[in-house]
Amino acid sequence: MSARSEDTIALLGGVPVFSTLAPEELAQVAEMAVPRRFEAGEVVFKEGDEGTTCYIMRSGKARAVREHPDGRSITLAHFSYGDIFGEMAMLDGERRSATVEITEGTETIAILGADMHRLLRAHPDISLKLIAALGQRLRDTNERLARQSFQTVQSRVAAVLAQLVAAARAETGEDDDGDVLITITQAELAQLAGSSRESASRFLAVLERAGIISQGRGRLTVHDAKALGRYVF
Ligand code: CMP
């Protein structure tokens, strides 16, 4: 067995959907898997495209987006190591429900829809895991829908900032109360919070006047993450 396929088997074993498979079954899946690499900025497929291939992330970062004809767009989900995407069209044979674009150089393994169908029929365990993963996505989407329906713009922007601080601290392993630098534009932050850029910008100015953050071009520094909590309700 080549080092490459051993590597693929190890990756597949770490993906929740395939976690119940025995090593020889993982080897069978690895045989159908086609490695595919994408650079930052590349689009894997666009909303409305035909296609039933699904992709499992080996490295890098990607996101699913929907665009409005007036140019606005929303990010539906972020994908990183071990995540699967493109499974919806693979399962229902409809067109792609969103565009998937690469935000950081990404290696994936692609599995053709027909191969995946065979796999799901032979291994009910995988089907159950996939259903659970879809359920988790529905929960996350419900969470966002509720937040966007019930929370004010300020509350949403503060909640997104608090999440970004938590993610940055998790990445660096620091959990003290020091400054946290976040690389993000006002437009990206507004998109994550589901608000207009103008509303997000007005609220960021309020936070800056209160000394909670300071802003630079395409980045901001959070000085007092705990204070953000006062704006989330
Ligand atoms: P598919 O419809 O084939 O192509 C777009 C993909 O984006 C979709 O499969 C899912 O993998 C992913 N996707 C679409 N909507 C969501 C969502 N709300 N949450 C997580 N992932 C999504």
Side-chain angles (χ1 to χ4, degrees):
M1 194 182 297
S2 72
R4 185 74 182 173
S5 55
E6 272 179 31
D7 191 32
T8 303
I9 292 169
L11 168 75
L12 289 170
V15 176
V17 177
F18 299 120
S19 61
T20 54
L21 293 186
E24 57 278 13
E25 293 166 332
L26 287 173
Q28 284 170 17
V29 181
E31 261 170 42
M32 339 171 157
V34 184
R36 292 213 40 203
R37 213 200 127 68
F38 301 94
E39 301 305 325
E42 259 189 272
V43 167
V44 181
F45 50 70
K46 281 186 102 63
E47 178 190 344
D49 281 357
E50 287 192 15
T52 56
T53 299
C54 66
Y55 301 81
I56 293 148
M57 302 277 297
R58 186 198 282 272
S59 65
K61 293 199 162 69
R63 59 181 185 160
V65 291
R66 281 288 282 261
E67 275 159 12
H68 192 267
D70 71 4
R72 284 177 300 163
S73 64
I74 54 166
T75 299
L76 298 169
H78 292 95
F79 307 121
S80 56
Y81 174 83
D83 287 335
I84 187 166
F85 66 83
E87 79 294 345
M88 288 167 64
M90 183 271 290
L91 286 168
D92 65 13
E94 302 272 332
R95 287 167 183 262
R96 298 296 189 186
S97 62
T99 296
V100 171
E101 60 186 40
I102 303 297
T103 49
E104 212 180 277
T106 290
E107 286 181 76
T108 66
I109 49 177
I111 303 182
L112 293 177
D115 287 338
M116 196 68 185
H117 281 198
R118 253 195 310 280
L119 204 63
L120 294 176
R121 278 196 206 95
H123 297 280
D125 277 358
I126 304 183
S127 305
L128 286 175
K129 295 260 174 189
L130 195 55
I131 292 167
L134 289 173
Q136 184 58 50
R137 287 188 174 174
L138 191 55
R139 281 175 192 277
D140 293 345
T141 304
N142 287 353
E143 188 62 35
R144 195 138 33 117
L145 183 64
R147 230 187 297 138
Q148 292 192 358
S149 307
F150 301 138
Q151 287 185 338
T152 61
V153 168
Q154 285 91 327
S155 191
R156 277 161 16 212
V157 172
V160 166
L161 275 178
Q163 276 169 6
L164 292 170
V165 167
R169 286 195 173 141
E171 209 159 278
T172 58
E174 287 170 19
D175 58 356
D176 59 13
D177 288 337
D179 285 2
V180 177
L181 176 72
I182 294 171
T183 309
I184 194 165
T185 64
Q186 287 190 346
E188 286 164 344
L189 189 64
Q191 199 192 58
L192 286 174
S195 77
S196 67
R197 198 195 60 77
E198 292 74 15
S199 305
S201 169
R202 268 196 300 277
F203 178 59
L204 289 174
V206 169
L207 291 178
E208 191 156 32
R209 277 198 297 277
I212 296 168
I213 65 163
S214 47
Q215 301 191 72
R217 187 176 271 275
R219 56 207 221 137
L220 54 85
T221 304
V222 177
H223 305 297
D224 186 356
K226 285 207 181 91
L228 289 171
R230 292 203 295 271
Y231 296 86
V232 181
F233 46 84

